[in-house]
Amino acid sequence: MDTENYWKRRTSRRKVLAGFSALASAPVVASIVGCGGDDDDDDTSGGSTTSGTPQSSNTTTAATPKTGGTIQTTIIGDPPTLDPFLNLSYRSQGVASFVYSRLFQIDTGPNIEPGDLRVSPDVAASSEQPDKMQFTVKLNPGVKWQNVAPVNGRPFTSADVKYSFERFMAKSPNRTALSPVTSLETPDDHTVIFKTSMPMAPLAFYLASPTHLYLMPREVIEADGDASKRMIGTGPLILEEYQPSAIFKWKKNPDYHVAGQPYVDGATWIIIADTATATANLRSGKLDIAGIPSADLDSMKQANKNMTVVPFTGFTCNSLWFDITKPPFNDIRVRQAASMAIDRKGLVDAAYNGKGAIQNIVPAGYSAWTLPVDDPKMGDSKQYLEHNVKKAKELLASAGHTGGLTTTLSGTTGYGATNNQVMELLAEMLKEANFNITLNMKEYAAHIATTFVGKFDGMAGGVGSTFFEPDDMFTSLYFSTSPRRNTLVNDPKADALILKQRQELDVNARKEVINEMQRYFAEQAYLPPLAAGTSFVGIHPWLKNVYPKATGAYDSSWIAKAWLDRS
Amino acid sequence: MRAYALRRVILAAPTLLGVTIILFALVRMLPGDAVQQILGEYPGYASDEDALRKELGLDKPIPQQYLSWVGHVVRLDLGESLQTKRPIVDELRMRAPVTFELGILAIFLGLCISIPIGVLSALKQDSLADYAARTLSVGMLAIPGFWLATLVITLPSIWWQWTPSPTYTRFTEDPVANLGHMFLPALILATALSGTLMRVTRTEMINVMRQDYIRTARAKGLSNYVVLIRHSLRNAFIPVITVIGLQVPVIIGGSVILENIFTIPGTGRYLLEAISKRDYPVIQGINLLLALVVIFTNIAVDLSYSIIDPRIRYSR
């Protein structure tokens, strides 16, 4: 078969399907700025270029901020709960970041790329690391709780941090990330000291992450049992009304600790479950900012010539995975063969309309940590991420599967049309390398309950989990005691490398360890990476000072700096 | 008639009991359960699967779970959502009126569209107008509501940068804004309904117009209007009412999709989300409510016959 012609045919079919899906399907788009984790979707991916600095025009203006107005945008569905410690859905985390502060935050600005997750203070005033096992945070003394009963604007203190931390460690499914913290001391009202059992390079990031330590009031939780009924924090917005499946209405917190912010009077989050509806409302200007499915990108630009479109690549770990505890995938040669059967460039071209990125072990969205596949630092491991059907066949034959390996490739239809395309393409690619594949696409709930947690035969693939820190990703997917290992990896060398990068406080030295891990895991092919499409956020010209991050809908704290100018 | 109505209501009880058994069994036959779903998405949510199963009351034998559920249902307690922990009755109290309003509007618009066209089509049988009306009715039946809805939202946004308001407003807050938001989805739901009703109206009107009593009415010198409305349409209306009753489940099914597309916080959206999360109590609660609506709609349809046609009497 002529491979080039084959892929061209696949591409043109994809275009037809993309056009159709824009009208008929696209059930699960994470609305505002792309997708979130396990709810990842097809239609915000694919598009113009790979991630880069946000295009300037309206959003980078240095003019004096105007006050007033209400920002209107969308979220795809109701949060499972309003308490961010009880559920990791981006919907719960995204709404939490309006109301609750964190010690630090992910910085945004005109010269910071969406994938650059640098940390800046939120309620912290400063921090220092007197030794490798201690991290001291000084709190901003001007922070007050929102002026809502029962906290009624009382000062925010270190006791509130301690209470939130202890509750986080008791309740949050993400608590493992902060498990090396052995104690939290509060010598005075404005000082918090984290003591850890090991040096912990990503500690400051975890304290800034939109999926970890939100600062929540003791009074509300003690009165209600949790924070699912009321949202009262120290953040920029106060929750005014929540009507399930309809709307969130927020108003400005006049006591917010950053002088002058937020600039807007409030925000309206419309719960729009249908992608086409959300896109149409962005196009008509009824939404000020929202994700754009790649299929609608051209028509969106045509209708809104002054709209700023920000492309970025997310952090989702799209990959193949296997049950490596038993044959045939306990044989490294079989896994390597599967990895080398994948034409990652072909996936970008055919499934993402040429707009996306080839993934390494650390996804391309982590611009600070990922090692491009063709980087010389990949060394010999590069070969395992390159499309090489001949070598794949040889490896499979050397593993004893001379007549090919009959197996199943499981996935889900729950991530939408693009993921379905990826799965179909993967099956075809694997067949070319002598894997006799039966594609088994399951409904989303069945997939999550079985394939996603390692209960499947053969191999599986498609959209994976989303993490914002390499430590979180490696620990969750590769550490031998992690409950999130969908491959059931149990590799002492992997564990040692994970601990090594976590404890390396020098950024450059840590990056070297992470490079080594990318080489090692590429060779081991526990989770051969695939490719990722580009996501797009559209911002109307009247919405200023917004710089979307690749954390997407998980983090809405950009609202504090945003302002409206409809003149 | 009162005795007949009472008898029908009493006979609905075994039907409902059957519905509860089927619902309970079918939901549990779906691959993957809520516990695996929650732990799959959020490992660490509970210490282990058994602990979460116990917390959610799913550790007991299925018959015991069923009896417990039915016991609560008869006390109007549908339990809590496994995902959100919110009481289902509270959610339904908020959402059911929204879907009910959408359904009533759809039926009203469906009748407004279909009856005049059906009657016209019958009066002008085999004319160009009749063919046009019949073609229209087939088209209305053939076009899927979700597709029409997507076009209604998308095309105006491309052509004129306009979309209907995405913000839902409660009827009690602002009736005009509420009806403005509900009009388009109700019209789309009404489209398929109109196609069916139009065809039934036409057929029945043609039959009735050929009856002797119509000829007699004309011979008496009654006006066309009186013959048409009082003698023809009223007699033709019984099958139309029957079809409306049969279309209620179709309208409910259509509302699941349209509530999603038009951002309407009704039971349809709630159901869709619950199914995707294997939220058993919610799925059971909503479907039980919908079964009740269908059963009592059919009773109401039966009882309405005697109002439309005084010859029909329900004896003991």
Side-chain angles (χ1 to χ4, degrees):
Chain A
M1 179 188 277
D2 181 328
T3 309
E4 193 181 337
N5 288 341
Y6 170 79
W7 292 119
K8 279 181 181 166
R9 284 200 298 276
R10 298 297 304 208
T11 306
S12 81
R13 178 170 172 253
R14 157 69 188 149
K15 282 177 182 165
V16 173
L17 287 173
F20 177 77
S21 70
L23 289 176
S25 63
V28 208
V29 156
S31 41
I32 167 167
V33 271
C35 343
D38 306 336
D39 296 290
D40 207 349
D41 171 72
D42 57 297
D43 277 340
T44 51
S45 53
S48 77
T49 60
T50 52
S51 71
T53 306
Q55 295 159 18
S56 54
S57 73
N58 59 311
T59 57
T60 56
T61 178
T64 309
K66 290 194 173 183
T67 56
T70 300
I71 294 176
Q72 188 150 291
T73 186
T74 176
I75 184 169
I76 194 163
D78 290 292
T81 171
L82 298 180
D83 188 336
F85 288 0
L86 300 185
N87 196 300
L88 291 182
S89 164
Y90 69 89
R91 303 178 197 176
S92 293
Q93 309 298 318
V95 295
S97 58
F98 282 127
V99 175
Y100 303 117
S101 299
R102 306 182 291 259
L103 286 172
F104 300 91
Q105 61 185 333
I106 310 295
D107 205 5
T108 64
N111 300 313
I112 306 175
E113 287 189 4
D116 181 352
L117 302 188
R118 67 183 68 173
V119 168
S120 68
D122 189 353
V123 299
S126 63
S127 62
E128 61 174 352
Q129 191 144 25
D131 64 59
K132 287 185 172 183
M133 316 282 263
Q134 186 172 316
F135 186 64
T136 304
V137 180
K138 290 280 182 189
L139 301 179
N140 178 341
V143 179
K144 290 193 288 187
W145 290 100
Q146 293 169 352
N147 192 12
V148 179
V151 285
N152 298 316
R154 74 164 171 81
F156 174 85
T157 69
S158 57
D160 294 312
V161 179
K162 187 175 174 68
Y163 177 77
S164 298
F165 174 77
E166 286 170 353
R167 183 165 180 268
F168 173 83
M169 294 307 289
K171 298 283 182 188
S172 174
N174 252 352
R175 58 186 173 268
T176 315
L178 291 178
S179 58
V181 177
T182 51
S183 72
L184 189 154
E185 294 170 8
T186 53
D188 62 54
D189 276 357
H190 298 111
T191 306
V192 179
I193 301 170
F194 291 89
K195 292 193 171 171
T196 57
S197 59
M198 65 178 82
M200 206 178 157
L203 178 59
F205 181 86
Y206 286 137
L207 300 179
S209 162
T211 55
H212 290 80
L213 185 57
Y214 283 104
L215 302 168
M216 300 159 80
R218 171 195 290 268
E219 292 92 327
V220 169
I221 289 152
E222 286 183 349
D224 297 351
D226 57 36
S228 63
K229 296 177 186 70
R230 292 182 281 177
M231 298 182 84
I232 302 166
T234 54
L237 295 179
I238 297 172
L239 180 59
E240 203 174 14
E241 182 191 353
Y242 167 42
Q243 191 184 349
S245 297
I247 205 163
F248 277 95
K249 284 184 182 170
W250 317 86
K251 65 179 181 183
K252 171 180 183 164
N253 172 15
D255 303 316
Y256 188 52
H257 60 271
V258 180
Q261 292 182 6
Y263 301 117
V264 291
D265 290 336
T268 302
W269 244 234
I270 306 168
I271 302 169
I272 303 178
D274 183 67
T275 314
T277 306
T279 306
N281 278 287
L282 178 67
R283 190 184 287 118
S284 69
K286 287 202 166 72
L287 300 177
D288 301 314
I289 175 173
I292 308 173
S294 61
D296 291 304
L297 200 58
D298 291 341
S299 72
M300 186 66 75
K301 284 177 177 170
Q302 213 165 9
N304 296 278
K305 293 191 167 50
N306 294 323
M307 177 182 277
T308 299
V309 176
V310 181
F312 65 87
T313 308
F315 301 115
T316 305
C317 301
N318 302 334
S319 64
L320 275 184
W321 63 92
F322 325 96
D323 180 353
I324 66 165
T325 61
K326 57 189 178 196
F329 296 104
N330 59 350
D331 188 328
I332 187 172
R333 292 167 297 182
V334 177
R335 300 197 301 269
Q336 287 172 342
S339 182
M340 294 169 90
I342 303 168
D343 179 1
R344 294 169 177 82
K345 174 75 167 54
L347 285 179
V348 171
D349 291 342
Y352 303 114
N353 294 332
K355 290 142 191 167
I358 292 169
Q359 299 280 51
N360 199 333
I361 299 295
V362 175
Y366 295 86
S367 50
W369 302 104
T370 190
L371 196 54
V373 171
D374 55 3
D375 192 300
K377 287 182 183 170
M378 276 303 288
D380 289 343
S381 296
K382 176 186 172 185
Q383 63 179 307
Y384 303 110
L385 300 178
E386 287 182 329
H387 186 214
N388 189 340
V389 175
K390 184 169 171 282
K391 180 75 175 167
K393 284 179 177 173
E394 285 172 11
L395 281 166
L396 207 53
S398 70
H401 304 285
T402 46
L405 173 62
T406 300
T407 189
T408 305
L409 175 63
S410 298
T412 177
T413 53
Y415 295 130
T418 301
N419 185 62
N420 296 346
Q421 285 284 296
V422 168
M423 295 303 292
E424 287 173 20
L425 291 164
L426 266 178
E428 294 300 325
M429 290 168 181
L430 288 161
K431 279 177 188 170
E432 281 183 49
N434 275 356
F435 287 89
N436 304 318
I437 292 290
T438 302
L439 189 57
N440 179 19
M441 296 294 279
K442 297 178 183 175
E443 179 259 342
Y444 178 73
H447 169 82
I448 288 294
T450 57
T451 313
F452 195 73
V453 292
K455 295 175 185 169
F456 63 96
D457 290 322
M459 58 175 92
V463 172
S465 298
T466 297
F467 307 97
F468 300 133
E469 229 293 327
D471 177 71
D472 203 10
M473 184 200 82
F474 284 124
T475 306
S476 298
L477 298 180
Y478 294 96
F479 202 77
S480 57
T481 55
S482 165
R484 298 187 77 164
R485 293 166 304 146
N486 36 22
T487 57
L488 306 176
V489 179
N490 190 350
D491 178 346
K493 183 172 178 184
D495 286 359
L497 283 168
I498 290 166
L499 292 175
K500 189 176 174 188
Q501 64 78 29
R502 178 183 287 176
Q503 296 177 46
E504 182 51 71
L505 299 183
D506 179 85
V507 174
N508 291 327
R510 185 178 176 220
K511 191 165 181 180
E512 284 307 313
V513 181
I514 288 175
N515 287 347
E516 184 187 348
M517 294 169 83
Q518 294 184 80
R519 290 189 291 270
Y520 179 68
F521 289 127
E523 183 187 345
Q524 291 298 318
Y526 294 129
L527 288 128
L530 305 176
T534 306
S535 298
F536 300 93
V537 180
I539 306 168
H540 279 292
W542 53 81
L543 179 59
K544 310 286 186 183
N545 207 33
V546 174
Y547 305 97
K549 303 300 295 183
T551 44
Y554 278 95
D555 193 356
S556 307
S557 49
W558 55 267
I559 199 102
K561 296 177 183 173
W563 47 281
L564 290 162
D565 183 0
R566 294 182 190 273
S567 58
Chain B
M1 180 157 148
R2 193 173 296 164
Y4 174 78
L6 189 63
R7 198 163 65 239
R8 288 293 307 270
V9 171
I10 292 169
L11 281 173
T15 312
L16 271 175
L17 188 68
V19 166
T20 60
I21 294 170
I22 293 168
L23 264 177
F24 196 85
L26 283 182
V27 166
R28 277 155 184 78
M29 284 165 69
L30 291 169
D33 71 0
V35 170
Q36 291 168 333
Q37 166 91 17
I38 292 168
L39 288 177
E41 284 188 309
Y42 313 114
Y45 188 91
S47 53
D48 59 33
E49 196 173 308
D50 290 341
L52 186 55
R53 210 170 282 285
K54 192 171 180 184
E55 185 189 325
L56 300 176
L58 301 173
D59 58 326
K60 300 183 181 76
I62 297 281
Q64 196 180 334
Q65 285 183 45
Y66 171 74
L67 289 175
S68 167
W69 177 60
V70 170
H72 283 91
V73 165
V74 295
R75 283 172 278 167
L76 299 181
D77 174 11
L78 296 175
E80 288 182 343
S81 158
L82 298 182
Q83 293 282 336
T84 66
K85 306 283 173 69
R86 287 196 282 266
I88 296 162
V89 168
D90 289 357
E91 290 276 355
L92 290 180
R93 196 175 289 137
M94 200 168 56
R95 292 167 184 266
V98 177
T99 304
F100 184 72
E101 182 196 348
L102 182 63
I104 293 293
L105 269 176
I107 291 171
F108 174 73
L109 290 173
L111 287 171
C112 289
I113 296 167
S114 61
I115 301 299
I117 298 177
V119 170
L120 184 72
S121 187
L123 293 178
K124 307 279 183 189
Q125 192 184 352
D126 295 331
S127 68
L128 190 63
D130 181 29
Y131 289 130
R134 286 157 70 184
T135 307
L136 180 68
S137 70
V138 172
M140 285 172 153
L141 281 171
I143 296 172
F146 76 88
W147 186 72
L148 200 57
T150 308
L151 291 189
V152 163
I153 295 270
T154 304
L155 293 181
S157 82
I158 293 172
W159 292 335
W160 310 300
Q161 277 81 62
W162 178 89
T163 44
S165 168
T167 313
Y168 175 79
T169 311
R170 293 185 189 96
F171 186 83
T172 47
E173 279 175 18
D174 185 345
V176 175
N178 172 276
L179 291 174
H181 191 88
M182 299 291 251
F183 178 74
L184 277 174
L187 187 65
I188 291 165
L189 272 179
T191 305
L193 179 66
S194 308
T196 311
L197 290 182
M198 204 187 296
R199 292 173 71 83
V200 174
T201 306
R202 177 184 178 275
T203 308
E204 287 306 311
M205 280 297 287
I206 288 170
N207 284 338
V208 170
M209 299 285 278
R210 289 173 182 161
Q211 298 298 313
D212 290 344
Y213 59 83
I214 297 294
R215 194 181 309 121
T216 305
R218 288 195 193 283
K220 277 164 63 182
L222 294 177
S223 69
N224 264 343
Y225 175 80
V226 173
V227 171
L228 190 67
I229 302 298
R230 192 180 298 167
H231 294 283
S232 308
L233 189 55
R234 189 164 177 178
N235 280 296
F237 217 64
I238 286 181
V240 174
I241 294 280
T242 307
V243 169
I244 291 173
L246 294 174
Q247 289 290 308
V248 166
V250 178
I251 291 172
I252 291 169
S255 73
V256 173
I257 304 296
L258 291 182
E259 284 179 6
N260 265 282
I261 295 176
F262 284 94
T263 324
I264 298 170
T267 48
R269 285 185 78 173
Y270 194 32
L271 179 61
L272 204 61
E273 185 91 351
I275 290 170
S276 72
K277 298 289 185 189
R278 296 292 187 269
D279 202 336
Y280 305 141
V282 176
I283 300 171
Q284 290 163 187
I286 296 174
N287 279 296
L288 188 63
L289 176 71
L290 299 184
L292 270 170
V293 169
V294 171
I295 289 168
F296 282 97
T297 303
N298 279 292
I299 293 175
V301 165
D302 284 355
L303 297 179
S304 70
Y305 294 160
S306 68
I307 297 166
I308 295 166
D309 187 346
R311 292 170 301 177
I312 299 174
R313 289 282 177 272
Y314 293 107
S315 63
R316 302 182 72 193

